[in-house]
Amino acid sequence: MTKKIKNLKEFSLSNDRYEGANLMCPGCSHNIIVREVLNATNDPVIVATATGCLEVCTAVYPKTSWDVSWIHIGFENAAVAIATAQAAYEVLKRKGRLPEATKKMLEEGREPKFVAFAGDGGTYDIGFQSLSGAFERGHNFMYVCLDNEVYANTGGQRSSSTPIGASTTTSPAGTVSYGEKMMKKSMVEIMSDHGAPYVAQVSPSKWKDLVKKVQKGFEVNGPVYINAQSACTTEWKHAPEDTIEVSDLGVESCVWPLYEIINERDEHGIIYNTKLNITYRPKNKIPVEEYLAAQPRFKHLFKPENRHIIDLWQKAVDTKWEHLQRREEAGV
Amino acid sequence: MAKKYELNEVEVWDGNMAAAQALRQAQVDVVAAYPITPSTPIVQNYSQFLADGYVDGDFIMVESEHSAMSGCVAASAAGARAATATSSQGFALMVEVLYQASGMRLPIVLTVVNRALAAPLNVNGDHSDMYLGRDAGWINLCSYNPQEAYDLTLMAFKIGEDLDVRLPVMVHQDGFLCSHTAQNVRPLQDEVATEFVGDYKPVNSMLDVSNPVTHGVQTEEDWHFEHKARQHNDLMNSKKVIKRVFDEFKDLTGREYDFVYKYKMDDADIAIFALGTTVESAQVAADKMREEGIKAGVVSLRVLRPFPFEEVQKALSNIKAVAAMDRSAPGGTFGALFNEISAAMLAAGKSPVILNYIYGLGGRDTTIDHLVDIYRQLDECAKAGERKYPLQQFIGLRGPKLSFY
């Protein structure tokens, strides 16, 4: 049953499953996103987390921020962990061996939700094999990528999610370099092409849109991928109080378009209809420059010799936005 | 509910089928696996059991061995009985997660069909992979033939799941020489085996919605040491439970297992200390020596971890010379088994002459004649009361002889 949410105040007060007072940096989007996801349902949630900021800051023995069952195995296996925990749940349900309280919950018509959280390193890079495998096999779980476009936990190295021009500790801007040379992977499309029934991109700044998509995902039977924009105060180098504003600049400039892809499919994974919906359309699409200017990781791009990278950025964003609109119009 | 599998009093099974039948009888809830030679038939047999309704569980054919062990960890943390099988490179890929399994105290059962590690790529048996995962905090049991692979796999569940143990267990068997060699095996009937293994009682199940749990936390220097020390303590103390389960199994079947396996050791002057299928070959060689009046015996480990120091010391206490047989590339030092035995005897304060023989790498055949030659060298050393040969020798090697020290 879908949880009804009236307003932000009520929404912000309802969470008692994840303690925000943890070791995360002030202004970290990870905390905001995790609370928004866990808040989207009243059903019990079982969580797997990849190695990363979220893991090392929220479960340092003998303390934990989590009042839901939680597991961390390694950097590269959050997807298979949550998928097999869900598979174990199905087996034990069938065999009548679930814990008593869980059986009782089932009688009330409720089922636990299985969610994996991982950063872009654990998703786009080292965790991709396990993620791809779990999606191909069609396990019933939700995978949320907390995409801060950098290996923040290890000190800001580039990942395959780091966008062009970003200065990171392993793609630093210097006298002869403007920083990262490649545009980021198109993870949403890659996961949709796995045949996932539901894939969406979200931003914590548009919380209603995020919650709606998470709720849709929870209703779906099969693997769900949510790509969440996660502004990082430490590596994007903006002020903690600007997190939501920076996130919003990403959305309003269409650097981070909000959309969903629904693959209607049967139980064998045969897709007979694919639909892409843009779920937020900026009234006045702002230039990419405004998004980049708000983040010192791109500061060097504003030097005369690097201005052409901003032009490239704008072109890449415009092309993608155009492509999304065409797909939406064409219904594919 | 799974269908009953009709079993004859004696079945002709290879080691892979024996291990698969044990997994079936334990009614494992989740098997997550990836195929690799020579252990592949274990999961093939298991999936056939599932396809025919002889198992009620889930078989998840994952995309790598890393995910296979990760899947076992999560399923076990969720409260399911979990098991898998692997070999060689696949085992190597699992190694990271082996530490997670033991650190989280999850009683997963892993059948390792031992095989060489690349490069050069080689699908045949040796013990390189065994030593790769030896220090991962698992209980390690060693079988030498299909009957033992079956028996020890059944016992592995009972040992690992004991509430005083709660540790994962590996059961080793030799690639091809055991895994693909059919022999007579006396299985337990399903209901007897199921009762022996017992129901799985999970601890801290992630699926208990009334009691959320946290698995796999981070620790800093303030707690990590205590966790690892406790884990080591419980692994060392698991000997009591292993002994009890061995005894219960003997009562049930008449088949006797002990930490150290001994053949004609009561009056032996010299001994071959080997693992795997070589143990049986060495017995044949020992008998040949005894026909000549040379008091030869065979010693082996049934439990590689926790290492049975006292039992090894006792077994070798009256021996004059012993061959430590290593079926893995030594990699710049003495063989792994040589090191283990030497350490045990050094601690005992009284050591026989110990020679290190490297043999059978990548499936190279080891003949009875090779083992007889080793006994003859040991006999010379025993009679002289000192080492008469190089400390480390490669046997059955083509080309110039290799020996060191």
Side-chain angles (χ1 to χ4, degrees):
Chain A
M1 68 193 85
T2 307
K3 179 176 176 177
K4 297 273 184 293
I5 294 156
K6 285 184 209 133
N7 56 52
L8 184 57
K9 191 180 172 194
E10 182 205 77
F11 185 56
S12 68
L13 290 173
S14 63
N15 199 314
D16 57 0
R17 296 160 156 182
Y18 178 74
E19 180 53 67
N22 50 39
L23 300 175
M24 300 290 241
C25 301
C28 176
S29 290
H30 282 16
N31 268 350
I32 303 168
I33 297 161
V34 170
R35 285 172 70 84
E36 287 177 351
V37 171
L38 295 184
N39 237 347
T41 179
N42 283 327
D43 291 336
V45 180
I46 289 147
V47 170
T49 301
T51 306
C53 296
L54 182 68
E55 171 257 331
V56 300
C57 294
T58 64
V60 184
Y61 185 85
K63 295 175 182 169
T64 179
S65 298
W66 302 85
D67 197 20
V68 298
S69 277
W70 181 93
I71 188 167
H72 160 252
I73 306 177
F75 199 175
E76 61 286 69
N77 47 19
V80 68
I82 205 66
T84 40
Q86 199 279 335
Y89 165 75
E90 295 294 342
V91 170
L92 298 182
K93 183 165 78 168
R94 191 171 68 232
K95 290 185 172 183
R97 279 179 34 218
L98 287 171
E100 287 309 313
T102 313
K103 282 186 196 163
K104 205 166 154 244
M105 171 208 65
L106 273 171
E107 285 164 16
E108 292 163 9
R110 300 162 68 213
E111 291 231 45
K113 308 292 186 240
F114 293 82
V115 182
F117 289 105
D120 45 294
T123 303
Y124 288 61
D125 295 341
I126 197 170
F128 185 69
Q129 175 179 294
S130 140
L131 174 64
S132 176
F135 268 60
E136 171 275 318
R137 294 189 300 274
H139 295 282
N140 188 14
F141 70 105
M142 178 180 288
Y143 189 97
V144 181
C145 174
L146 305 167
D147 188 356
N148 58 15
E149 304 184 330
V150 70
Y151 287 96
N153 183 45
T154 44
Q157 299 80 22
R158 64 87 68 183
S159 79
S160 65
S161 175
T162 302
I164 190 167
S167 181
T168 75
T169 52
T170 53
S171 65
T175 51
V176 296
S177 176
Y178 54 81
E180 172 59 33
K181 300 287 183 291
M182 303 301 288
M183 208 57 202
K184 64 188 284 174
K185 261 190 200 174
S186 299
M187 204 59 191
V188 174
E189 284 72 18
I190 290 168
M191 296 320 294
S192 169
D193 284 352
H194 278 70
Y198 189 75
V199 171
Q201 182 149 283
V202 299
S203 168
S205 69
K206 297 286 186 259
W207 68 274
K208 267 191 183 166
D209 177 77
L210 184 152
V211 168
K212 221 164 132 183
K213 285 170 177 164
V214 168
Q215 289 184 333
K216 261 192 190 179
F218 281 150
E219 294 300 314
V220 161
N221 185 16
V224 168
Y225 180 78
I226 306 281
N227 210 46
Q229 177 201 35
S230 190
C232 174
T233 60
T234 307
E235 300 303 336
W236 296 18
K237 306 187 193 304
H238 56 74
E241 61 271 25
D242 292 342
T243 294
I244 293 298
E245 200 181 321
V246 167
S247 306
D248 233 23
L249 289 173
V251 175
E252 296 296 335
S253 61
C254 295
V255 166
W256 197 268
L258 303 184
Y259 63 108
E260 62 186 12
I261 303 172
I262 299 161
N263 289 314
E264 286 180 37
R265 61 177 212 172
D266 66 12
E267 70 271 28
H268 307 294
I270 301 170
I271 298 163
Y272 48 89
N273 194 16
T274 294
K275 198 165 161 28
L276 185 147
N277 299 319
I278 294 171
T279 57
Y280 178 79
R281 207 175 288 271
K283 281 194 188 73
N284 299 300
K285 181 165 166 271
I286 61 169
V288 165
E289 201 170 321
E290 287 187 37
Y291 172 71
L292 302 180
Q295 302 169 49
R297 65 172 168 155
F298 296 117
K299 192 171 65 183
H300 54 285
L301 295 185
F302 293 86
K303 288 180 187 166
E305 66 270 28
N306 292 332
R307 291 293 304 204
H308 66 288
I309 300 302
I310 299 181
D311 297 339
L312 275 181
W313 247 104
Q314 187 66 55
K315 198 176 163 196
V317 168
D318 290 346
T319 308
K320 171 89 181 194
W321 183 238
E322 175 72 21
H323 179 74
L324 290 176
Q325 292 184 90
R326 282 194 190 185
R327 274 193 70 176
E328 186 183 43
E329 275 165 33
V332 292
Chain B
M1 193 63 188
K3 278 197 298 187
K4 183 177 158 55
Y5 194 100
E6 292 303 329
L7 289 168
N8 297 311
E9 197 182 328
V10 179
E11 293 279 346
V12 180
W13 288 344
D14 61 19
N16 279 328
M17 178 54 114
Q21 289 281 359
L23 298 191
R24 181 188 65 76
Q25 290 188 322
Q27 288 294 318
V28 176
D29 297 309
V30 176
V31 171
Y34 191 78
I36 182 165
T37 304
S39 67
T40 315
I42 296 178
V43 295
Q44 283 176 348
N45 289 325
Y46 190 78
S47 49
Q48 189 66 52
F49 296 149
L50 202 69
D52 292 333
Y54 293 118
V55 192
D56 181 15
D58 199 357
F59 174 69
I60 307 172
M61 192 65 212
V62 289
E63 81 297 333
S64 75
E65 287 91 348
H66 192 283
S67 278
M69 187 45 64
S70 303
C72 287
V73 166
S76 185
R81 181 175 278 162
T84 188
T86 198
S87 299
S88 184
Q89 309 300 127
F91 185 78
L93 191 53
M94 278 185 183
V95 167
E96 181 200 12
V97 197
L98 297 180
Y99 284 79
Q100 312 278 9
S102 61
M104 285 194 238
R105 308 294 300 266
L106 299 168
I108 297 155
V109 170
L110 168 64
T111 297
V112 189
V113 180
N114 294 125
R115 175 188 139 183
L117 286 167
L121 187 67
N122 176 294
V123 297
N124 295 301
D126 73 25
H127 295 160
S128 303
D129 50 6
M130 181 191 295
Y131 296 110
L132 186 64
R134 179 188 54 175
D135 300 330
W138 288 51
I139 292 170
N140 279 243
L141 307 178
C142 306
S143 52
Y144 317 140
N145 58 44
Q147 178 73 62
E148 296 171 356
Y150 169 80
D151 292 351
L152 288 168
T153 306
L154 278 182
M155 286 189 267
F157 288 99
K158 202 172 171 67
I159 292 166
E161 291 170 9
D162 189 283
L163 291 178
D164 289 334
V165 177
R166 287 207 290 132
L167 284 167
V169 186
M170 276 177 224
V171 183
H172 297 274
Q173 59 170 283
D174 274 4
F176 293 104
L177 296 174
C178 179
S179 67
H180 286 64
T181 303
Q183 291 185 355
N184 285 350
V185 174
R186 292 180 172 274
L188 300 177
Q189 289 303 311
D190 280 7
E191 51 278 8
V192 179
T194 303
E195 200 194 325
F196 172 75
V197 174
D199 292 336
Y200 180 43
K201 295 185 189 68
V203 177
N204 297 328
S205 159
M206 285 203 297
L207 300 179
D208 186 353
V209 297
S210 64
N211 182 30
V213 287
T214 298
H215 285 271
V217 288
Q218 197 211 173
T219 57
E220 297 295 347
E221 69 284 0
D222 56 348
W223 279 109
H224 191 78
F225 198 10
E226 280 71 21
H227 281 291
K228 297 317 279 185
R230 180 60 192 260
Q231 196 183 320
H232 179 69
N233 178 70
D234 291 359
L235 181 54
M236 294 302 270
N237 286 341
S238 69
K239 280 183 76 179
K240 288 175 212 143
V241 174
I242 296 169
K243 172 87 171 64
R244 200 187 70 225
V245 172
F246 281 172
D247 288 347
E248 285 174 29
F249 194 76
K250 186 190 167 191
D251 292 344
L252 187 68
T253 64
R255 296 197 284 272
E256 190 171 356
Y257 289 87
D258 204 345
F259 292 93
V260 166
Y261 175 80
K262 288 176 281 190
Y263 180 76
K264 297 196 174 168
M265 285 299 291
D266 288 346
D267 63 341
D269 292 324
I270 56 174
I272 281 179
F273 202 131
L275 290 176
T277 45
T278 310
V279 173
E280 294 189 338
S281 305
Q283 288 174 190
V284 177
D287 288 344
K288 275 185 175 254
M289 301 313 291
R290 288 207 171 241
E291 283 168 17
E292 297 176 20
I294 295 166
K295 290 177 181 168
V298 183
V299 195
S300 183
L301 292 174
R302 191 62 80 185
V303 182
L304 177 66
R305 287 289 183 275
F307 190 83
F309 287 96
E310 287 155 8
E311 290 81 354
V312 168
Q313 288 162 353
K314 207 173 153 208
L316 301 182
S317 61
N318 294 318
I319 293 292
K320 291 174 182 145
V322 59
M325 303 288 294
D326 271 292
R327 194 167 202 160
S328 60
T333 182
F334 297 114
L337 189 62
F338 174 89
N339 283 342
E340 304 258 8
I341 297 167
S342 302
M345 298 321 291
L346 181 68
K350 183 189 167 213
S351 179
V353 173
I354 308 178
L355 295 175
N356 186 201
Y357 296 91
I358 310 298
Y359 76 104
L361 303 189
R364 173 64 52 86
D365 207 13
T366 302
T367 64
I368 305 298
D369 287 346
H370 287 137
L371 298 163
V372 166
D373 285 347
I374 288 168
Y375 274 128
R376 293 205 191 288
Q377 291 190 1
L378 292 175
D379 187 44
E380 273 187 60
C381 296
K383 285 182 175 136
E386 61 177 17
R387 180 160 65 82
K388 306 293 280 181
Y389 289 90
L391 206 44
Q392 186 176 60
Q393 299 176 57
F394 282 60
I395 59 162
L397 182 71
R398 196 164 56 229
K401 282 188 174 174
L402 270 189
S403 63
F404 300 94
Y405 310 104

